Amino acid sequence: DGGITQSPKYLFRKEGQNVTLSCEQNLNHDAMYWYRQDPGQGLRLIYYSQIVNDFQKGDIAEGYSVSREKKESFPLTVTSAQKNPTAFYLCASSSRIDTGNTIYFGEGSWLTVV
Amino acid sequence: GEDVEQSLFLSVREGDSSVINCTYTDSSSTYLYWYKQEPGAGLQLLTYIFSNMDMKQDQRLTVLLNKKDKHLSLRIADTQTGDSAIYFCAERRGYQKVTFGTGTKLQVIP
């Protein structure tokens, strides 16, 4: 089945550690995104990538890093510089040629700092 | 302003219609979307409307778009308990930029 797979679903991080969230899609979409969701708030864009080997900062990129070495993969690293990383992280993808240019989402990853 | 605005909460009785409202920001937005999020899950696309349309109907869902007022609404007919979730509207301003509202939590009372 086509879709977006995020892993792990739940992740615990000690303060000072970097952690990486995985996102893989088999939809053949060019664009991929990472959003952060805090309780009672909407989605905020962290990073996005329109093509392989290229990515841009979103609204809240500080303390995060990404790579786009393959079309189907867009991992997000939450670095120790991110002071408040506990949140729900959503990966998404889209295609220019899809009617509506719709963004499709994975099931999300919960990150908790312990 | 820069924010896509939605009311935070809506409560309806099972069988009634629900209307969720959204005010977006950019009159040049090309597409407007409605997503549904169940607890602990990702966002599921419900429907979208192109900016040159006024209305779109899809089974129990009706989307109304008022471009003059930058107002978008989602009507759910015959609301069921399975419709309880958070609903997000979103606007696409360009290929890269999709902005989401803060979400409306719909509670359906049996």
Side-chain angles (χ1 to χ4, degrees), chain B residues 12-56:
Chain B
V12 299
R13 293 207 173 272
E14 190 174 18
D16 289 349
S17 291
S18 307
V19 179
I20 303 171
N21 294 302
C22 171
T23 302
Y24 60 99
T25 64
D26 190 340
S27 59
S28 65
S29 291
T30 53
Y31 290 98
L32 296 123
Y33 308 90
W34 283 105
Y35 286 85
K36 176 184 181 182
Q37 185 181 35
E38 298 189 3
L43 275 67
Q44 172 195 355
L45 176 71
L46 289 177
T47 187
Y48 66 88
I49 187 167
F50 189 50
S51 58
N52 68 353
M53 298 170 65
D54 297 322
M55 185 183 85
K56 181 178 181 180

Side-chain angles (χ1 to χ4, degrees), chain B residues 74-87:
Chain B
L74 174 70
R75 178 178 180 269
I76 305 173
D78 186 24
T79 311
Q80 303 297 307
T81 55
D83 295 323
S84 293
I86 300 175
Y87 291 80

Side-chain angles (χ1 to χ4, degrees), chain A residues 37-43 88 90 105 110, chain B residues 4-11 18 20-21 33-47 61 74 76 79-90 100-108:
Chain A
Q37 185 178 23
D38 293 283
Q41 296 189 32
L43 279 66
F88 189 50
L90 287 157
F105 285 85
W110 291 95
Chain B
V4 177
E5 297 182 348
Q6 301 178 239
S7 53
L8 290 180
F9 190 76
L10 176 66
S11 181
S18 307
I20 303 171
N21 294 302
Y33 308 90
W34 283 105
Y35 286 85
K36 176 184 181 182
Q37 185 181 35
E38 298 189 3
L43 275 67
Q44 172 195 355
L45 176 71
L46 289 177
T47 187
L61 305 179
L74 174 70
I76 305 173
T79 311
Q80 303 297 307
T81 55
D83 295 323
S84 293
I86 300 175
Y87 291 80
F88 291 91
C89 67
F100 289 81
T102 52
T104 299
K105 185 172 184 179
L106 175 64
Q107 178 188 47
V108 182

Side-chain angles (χ1 to χ4, degrees), chain A residues 64-85:
Chain A
Y64 300 96
S65 66
V66 293
S67 63
R68 187 86 188 276
E69 297 176 3
K70 298 186 294 182
K71 186 176 184 178
E72 58 270 24
S73 179
F74 193 41
L76 174 74
T77 297
V78 184
T79 75
S80 57
Q82 171 49 240
K83 297 307 178 190
N84 185 22

